[in-house]
Amino acid sequence: MEIHIGDRVADVSLVNKEGNKVQLTIDGVPYDVDIVMAENGSCSILHNGKSYNAELIRKDGGKSYTVNAHYQSYNIDIIDSQAKYLRMRKGGEEKQQDKIVSPMPGKVVKIPVKVGDRLEAGDIVAVIEAMKMQSNYKVNSECTVKEILVNEGDSVNSNQVIMTLDVINKDEE
């Protein structure tokens, strides 16, 4: 999942949770922590033999928090993967970029195009499965496939470029 901490954006993945012991990665770096939550929003975190205390205050909507720790306050927003995906798809329809980017981790199911193919608006260039759902990635203007950076069956990460395109500008023809 994507977490915004002030101006910083972090990619956080839960690897394993057993009782209070949590294994996670933050921007690909693994961490083993022991977290004890209290009912009042306070938590105690043990990492590498050091103890940290924090207070979590949930804001309206449940996906935003204020975290008080080390005599500082941090605003944290948890970005829902599906909402991020829909926002990126909507934003992507405004103007065709010169690349196709995976908005979330998943598996490449199908690449129905090859390098050099000329595409029309609406053509599907990739099918990616994420969270047991398949999504079709389409271009929204004329372009040609410049480079395909993944193969069918590959796993992709969030924000990974999977294909580059040469966008055809109608004014230049």
Side-chain angles (χ1 to χ4, degrees), residues 1-4 62-65 76-81:
M1 78 182 87
E2 183 176 293
I3 296 181
H4 295 204
K63 296 284 185 180
S64 296
Y65 296 84
I76 297 180
D77 295 307
I78 299 172
I79 307 302
D80 179 271
S81 295

Side-chain angles (χ1 to χ4, degrees), residues 140-160:
N140 54 22
S141 66
E142 286 186 64
C143 57
T144 57
V145 178
K146 183 176 180 181
E147 188 177 20
I148 299 173
L149 304 170
V150 296
N151 296 305
E152 291 179 4
D154 286 356
S155 292
V156 292
N157 295 315
S158 182
N159 298 320
Q160 180 177 340

Side-chain angles (χ1 to χ4, degrees), residues 98-103 128 147-150 156-165:
D98 63 351
K99 60 190 168 216
I100 302 293
V101 178
S102 178
I128 296 181
E147 188 177 20
I148 299 173
L149 304 170
V150 296
V156 292
N157 295 315
S158 182
N159 298 320
Q160 180 177 340
V161 177
I162 59 175
M163 186 177 302
T164 59
L165 308 168

Side-chain angles (χ1 to χ4, degrees), residues 80-125:
D80 179 271
S81 295
Q82 188 172 9
K84 177 184 174 188
Y85 168 75
L86 293 172
R87 186 176 64 244
M88 289 180 77
R89 289 279 300 249
K90 183 179 178 186
E93 291 172 4
E94 295 169 7
K95 179 180 177 236
Q96 180 65 55
Q97 301 294 313
D98 63 351
K99 60 190 168 216
I100 302 293
V101 178
S102 178
M104 67 178 77
K107 181 179 177 182
V108 179
V109 176
K110 188 173 183 182
I111 303 281
V113 297
K114 59 187 182 302
V115 173
D117 283 357
R118 186 176 176 121
L119 307 172
E120 301 292 327
D123 286 349
I124 296 171
V125 294

Side-chain angles (χ1 to χ4, degrees), residues 4-87:
H4 295 204
I5 306 165
D7 293 335
R8 182 173 186 261
V9 177
D11 182 35
V12 179
S13 297
L14 177 64
V15 176
N16 189 27
K17 182 180 185 310
E18 197 171 304
N20 294 334
K21 300 202 181 295
V22 177
Q23 292 178 314
L24 52 97
T25 61
I26 301 174
D27 293 330
V29 178
Y31 292 90
D32 291 319
V33 295
D34 194 321
I35 301 174
V36 178
M37 294 292 298
E39 289 182 22
N40 65 359
S42 296
C43 70
S44 176
I45 303 166
L46 185 62
H47 174 64
N48 284 344
K50 293 183 181 177
S51 179
Y52 305 91
N53 292 310
E55 176 188 32
L56 280 73
I57 302 167
R58 179 179 275 186
K59 296 180 184 176
D60 292 335
K63 296 284 185 180
S64 296
Y65 296 84
T66 297
V67 176
N68 298 316
H70 301 291
Y71 305 104
Q72 291 184 334
S73 289
Y74 304 91
N75 289 317
I76 297 180
D77 295 307
I78 299 172
I79 307 302
D80 179 271
S81 295
Q82 188 172 9
K84 177 184 174 188
Y85 168 75
L86 293 172
R87 186 176 64 244

